[in-house]
Amino acid sequence: MNRVTIEKKVLSENDRIAARLREALTGTGTLALNFIGSPGAGKTAFLEKTLERLPVHTRAAVVTGDLQTENDAIRLRRYGFPVRQITTVGACHLDARMVEDHVSDWLQEGLELLFIENVGNLVCPTSYDLGEDLKVVILSCAEGEDKPLKYPGIFRKSELMILNKIDLLPHVPFRPELALENARSINPDIAIIQTSCITSAGFDPWMNWLERRAARKKAAASTLAAATR
Amino acid sequence: MNRVTIEKKVLSENDRIAARLREALTGTGTLALNFIGSPGAGKTAFLEKTLERLPVHTRAAVVTGDLQTENDAIRLRRYGFPVRQITTVGACHLDARMVEDHVSDWLQEGLELLFIENVGNLVCPTSYDLGEDLKVVILSCAEGEDKPLKYPGIFRKSELMILNKIDLLPHVPFRPELALENARSINPDIAIIQTSCITSAGFDPWMNWLERRAARKKAAASTLAAATR
């Protein structure tokens, strides 16, 4: 077997587990979001700010992936929701089995929202389905506007793009309209929300978007449950 | 063969080509630097600024890797040195064969400096030896101070760390002394230079460092040539 064959086998095994996980998430009406971005795009800060604003009664949970350290889990646990760190010990992405192993008991208890923070990497996580409802790509204004063109895979597969750290716009040579144009040239249907975790800009539209998307998932799960009753 | 076996085979084939390339670079006294950093760390801007400051008679060349686009090569060509784009079409790292294929004719003509800009990724490029003399990790102040702890592999393997975008320090919650402490906890011997491509801070020490390092390589090559004569 050559390398490509092995890669295909690994991905098809991953797809099998992802499909099982997706079925479980549909059964429980859980909206699962897979956050992908470069190291330093602000994924953890974005999730912290999101947890801070979530109504306390929300049944939400987070898994966060890193090669090493529990740092992100420690940061995210401050908001009262359950958080688990997945330490990949060298692997450059999360896979469906890692997620399934860490969330199965939560799903049995019932969960409305599952946030998955992937390893900081714009390339490899793109290929691994985690059973999620949608991928969210986070791009920071401290990066370049041409990232959607250079890393088209993740922008093509994401339902939502968060353009983060817009508080830095006065200090960086970054033209947001060009970044948006580039993202839309790769994926004309991508939703885009511009945010800052420092000024809180964009968090009202984001929380509304999230609420609507979660309600849609819940309604679909109820319809399915009624149809199979 | 399982996946790990295949990975090992791929890496050992890569090491074989890297060793051949390293021998060629030693023969010509060329200093080769492999720049690794997240997307948006400022690798291309850093190299632009470096080429701008290089004496025009320097025999220097650049290969730059990206999944897609010729953007970086177009930017880097403005400084009068030869530049070639390596488009990896999905691969998350450069490998030794890609570099060898793109630089062999340059080496035959004689080259003092070879800059290799890797694909934007703090993880996968770390495992692939490109025959280089040293790896340089670029970290931006818009990222987090704990990146050395989260991605220890590249900080362990780098001879030099560039802490870039220090012009942003007044505008970001980033403590450079903590980032330096973290990097040194992973690699006590790592050299560190703090730079800004906007204000040009740090480029005098960097150009001096580069000149000394290139002279050392050249001297080693001459000694070796005399010994084998």
Side-chain angles (χ1 to χ4, degrees), chain A residues 36 94 109 123 126 178 195 197 229:
Chain A
I36 298 178
L94 294 179
E109 294 158 20
V123 191
T126 310
L178 180 57
T195 59
C197 298
R229 203 169 292 146

Side-chain angles (χ1 to χ4, degrees), chain A residues 11-77:
Chain A
L11 282 173
S12 86
E13 169 69 1
N14 183 74
D15 284 349
R16 202 181 53 75
I17 301 169
R20 186 168 67 199
L21 190 50
R22 181 166 285 117
E23 205 183 314
L25 291 161
T26 300
T28 53
T30 311
L31 182 74
L33 304 98
N34 180 1
F35 288 84
I36 298 178
S38 306
K43 294 179 291 305
T44 313
F46 182 85
L47 286 175
E48 284 189 81
K49 202 93 192 151
T50 301
L51 296 178
E52 193 184 83
R53 291 186 156 229
L54 268 188
V56 284
H57 58 76
T58 315
R59 283 167 302 146
V62 187
V63 285
T64 178
D66 267 304
L67 276 74
Q68 297 286 356
T69 82
E70 283 264 337
N71 292 5
D72 286 358
I74 292 165
R75 285 170 60 186
L76 290 161
R77 270 187 203 119

Side-chain angles (χ1 to χ4, degrees), chain B residues 73-195:
Chain B
I74 293 166
R75 284 170 61 185
L76 290 160
R77 270 187 203 119
R78 294 185 291 211
Y79 304 89
F81 298 96
V83 177
R84 283 183 188 147
Q85 180 80 44
I86 304 179
T87 310
T88 65
V89 201
C92 50
H93 58 270
L94 294 179
D95 65 32
R97 188 182 296 280
M98 296 176 194
V99 175
E100 192 184 52
D101 286 350
H102 284 79
V103 308
S104 293
D105 56 335
W106 283 342
L107 292 182
Q108 280 169 12
E109 293 159 21
L111 204 57
E112 292 165 274
L113 286 170
L114 174 63
F115 299 104
I116 305 167
E117 181 186 356
N118 220 309
V119 175
N121 186 332
L122 269 185
V123 192
C124 316
T126 311
S127 309
Y128 287 80
D129 183 4
L130 304 181
E132 74 273 353
D133 292 89
L134 68 147
K135 290 181 171 61
V136 181
V137 60
I138 305 204
L139 178 69
S140 135
C141 291
E143 303 177 43
E145 304 97 343
D146 63 353
K147 296 304 174 246
L149 307 180
K150 285 180 167 181
Y151 305 87
I154 182 58
F155 289 87
R156 196 170 292 131
K157 289 191 178 180
S158 292
E159 184 176 319
L160 174 66
M161 164 175 155
I162 298 293
L163 181 61
N164 197 26
K165 307 199 186 183
I166 57 167
D167 55 285
L168 287 180
L169 284 175
H171 314 295
V172 290
F174 184 94
R175 290 155 294 171
E177 64 289 352
L178 180 58
L180 269 49
E181 189 188 312
N182 287 336
R184 288 187 179 120
S185 77
I186 296 294
N187 179 355
D189 298 325
I190 199 165
I192 300 176
I193 301 177
Q194 303 188 37
T195 58

Side-chain angles (χ1 to χ4, degrees), chain A residues 1-3 6-7 10 38-40 43-44 66-69 71-72 75 90-93 117 119-124 128 140 142-144 146-147 149-152 165 167-168 171-173 198, chain B residues 1-3 6-7 10 38-40 43-44 66-69 71-72 75 90-93 117 119-124 128 140 142-144 146-147 149-152 165 167-168 171-173 198:
Chain A
M1 260 195 273
N2 66 17
R3 196 190 193 197
I6 291 275
E7 282 292 342
V10 168
S38 306
K43 294 179 291 305
T44 313
D66 267 304
L67 276 74
Q68 297 286 356
T69 82
N71 292 5
D72 286 358
R75 285 170 60 186
C92 50
H93 59 269
E117 181 185 356
V119 176
N121 186 330
L122 269 187
V123 191
C124 316
Y128 288 81
S140 134
E143 304 178 40
D146 62 353
K147 296 305 174 242
L149 307 179
K150 285 180 165 180
Y151 305 87
K165 307 198 184 185
D167 55 287
L168 288 179
H171 315 295
V172 291
I198 304 277
Chain B
M1 260 196 272
N2 64 17
R3 197 188 191 195
I6 291 273
E7 281 293 340
V10 168
S38 306
K43 295 179 293 302
T44 312
D66 269 303
L67 275 74
Q68 295 288 354
T69 82
N71 292 6
D72 286 357
R75 284 170 61 185
C92 50
H93 58 270
E117 181 186 356
V119 175
N121 186 332
L122 269 185
V123 192
C124 316
Y128 287 80
S140 135
E143 303 177 43
D146 63 353
K147 296 304 174 246
L149 307 180
K150 285 180 167 181
Y151 305 87
K165 307 199 186 183
D167 55 285
L168 287 180
H171 314 295
V172 290
I198 304 276

